[in-house]
Amino acid sequence: MSSAVPHHIAIVMDGNGRWATRRYLPRVAGHKAGVDALRRCVRACAARGVSILTVFAFSSENWNRPQEEVSGLMELLVIALSREVPQLVTDGVCLRFLGERAGLSAAVRSGLVRAEAATAGNTRLHLNVCFNYGGRWDIVQAANRLAQRGATVTEESLAAEMQMGQLPEPDLIIRTGGEQRLSNFLLWQAAYSELYFCNTLWPEFDEHALDLAIAAFCQRERRFGKTSEQLRDPAPSQQAA
Ligand code: IPE
Ligand code: IPE
Ligand code: MG
């Protein structure tokens, strides 16, 4: 049983649209409420000693949504950054964006760069926001970087070129909103993550919901291919033969 709080939590923040639709609100209102939920979650993770929080905010496939929703999300990102960054600095949060920047507007790109610069060097919590991110894209861009240098592809060299770089892989991946799929999130890094799915829609995900996910994680036995017996007694038994 894993008794410690996960070092790295990753979250597919899903359910904003349904939250809004149930209230007869436009979908973008759900995304706004989603920003409030993220603010709460960042604080709660920091208070519980989580070191890294990685969230999925906009996937490579989300460009296929109605144009009004996509532009609403882009605007919301820029507004949220200008509002939230001062508090993130105060709280010791280091913000990084993972994903393809080339497809983003100049205004969004400069917002990301400014937010990263303002929070660089903070160490209490690393907050990675996956924006215009896809797990397949991440693997391909890492492979291309190695190919350009003529470097050999190994698990280590490829992992080092991924967007998450040298950060440890997520211990726990949470998906809110009831769907049980990864939707192209952290495909490489999810190899040994514990997966936790809950029906709570992201805008309603609170400290209690986070604690339920962490409690479920603490009940899991992470075997990494070994047997339960090996985990209980790591020294190989010489008497067995
Ligand atoms: C997740 O919520 C946020 C983004 C994908 C940007 P959704 O917008 O997917 O919410 P549902 O799944 O439609 O309820
Ligand atoms: C995944 O949610 C992406 C984010 C949460 C940003 P989606 O709502 O886009 O995933 P699908 O389409 O249901 O698989
Ligand atoms: Mg969704």
Side-chain angles (χ1 to χ4, degrees):
M1 236 167 60
S2 174
S3 54
V5 165
H7 183 68
H8 183 175
I9 296 181
I11 308 182
V12 180
M13 307 183 292
D14 196 22
N16 296 349
R18 279 164 283 167
W19 182 90
T21 304
R22 282 178 198 175
R23 285 166 178 72
Y24 306 100
L25 294 168
R27 291 178 60 87
V28 173
H31 299 313
K32 281 191 188 139
V35 175
D36 298 334
L38 179 56
R39 187 188 312 110
R40 284 198 304 267
C41 187
V42 168
R43 289 207 182 139
C45 282
R48 283 155 182 74
V50 173
S51 302
I52 309 167
L53 175 65
T54 300
V55 296
F56 205 5
F58 189 84
S59 77
S60 319
E61 291 73 29
N62 287 146
W63 293 107
N64 295 320
R65 294 196 175 192
Q67 202 265 324
E68 189 185 290
E69 182 171 352
V70 172
S71 54
L73 280 162
M74 297 296 153
E75 273 170 39
L76 183 59
L77 173 66
V78 174
I79 293 168
L81 286 178
S82 64
R83 281 199 194 138
E84 306 290 335
V85 164
Q87 190 62 45
L88 293 176
V89 173
T90 307
D91 293 343
V93 177
C94 175
L95 184 57
R96 275 192 54 205
F97 289 90
L98 315 186
E100 188 172 25
R101 305 222 177 168
L104 302 173
S105 73
V108 171
R109 282 205 306 269
S110 73
L112 305 191
V113 170
R114 275 203 303 271
E116 286 181 333
T119 61
N122 291 340
T123 54
R124 187 167 179 226
L125 179 79
H126 287 271
L127 174 60
N128 300 317
V129 177
C130 295
F131 198 87
N132 197 18
Y133 176 89
R136 289 179 178 169
W137 167 83
D138 196 3
I139 295 168
V140 168
Q141 65 84 30
N144 278 330
R145 287 209 233 185
L146 290 180
Q148 275 158 18
R149 295 208 305 271
T152 310
V153 178
T154 64
E155 291 194 13
E156 291 72 26
S157 69
L158 193 70
E161 294 298 334
M162 310 264 303
Q163 294 279 292
M164 205 110 82
Q166 306 293 347
L167 290 178
E169 293 168 1
D171 300 293
L172 170 64
I173 297 182
I174 298 170
R175 182 170 183 144
T176 63
E179 310 294 353
Q180 302 196 0
R181 55 179 174 251
L182 287 176
S183 300
N184 203 11
F185 188 45
L186 302 178
L187 299 182
W188 175 273
Q189 298 86 347
Y192 267 102
S193 305
E194 296 297 328
L195 306 181
Y196 177 86
F197 301 100
C198 65
N199 291 326
T200 310
L201 301 174
W202 176 248
E204 287 167 352
F205 191 84
D206 58 9
E207 288 81 357
H208 176 63
L210 177 68
D211 285 336
L212 287 179
I214 293 175
F217 172 82
C218 290
Q219 295 299 316
R220 306 275 178 92
E221 182 180 66
R222 305 187 76 192
R223 289 192 287 278
F224 298 99
K226 294 183 178 176
T227 66
S228 294
E229 290 72 20
Q230 284 175 300
L231 296 178
R232 281 197 290 273
D233 176 17
S237 168
Q238 298 300 316
Q239 297 164 350

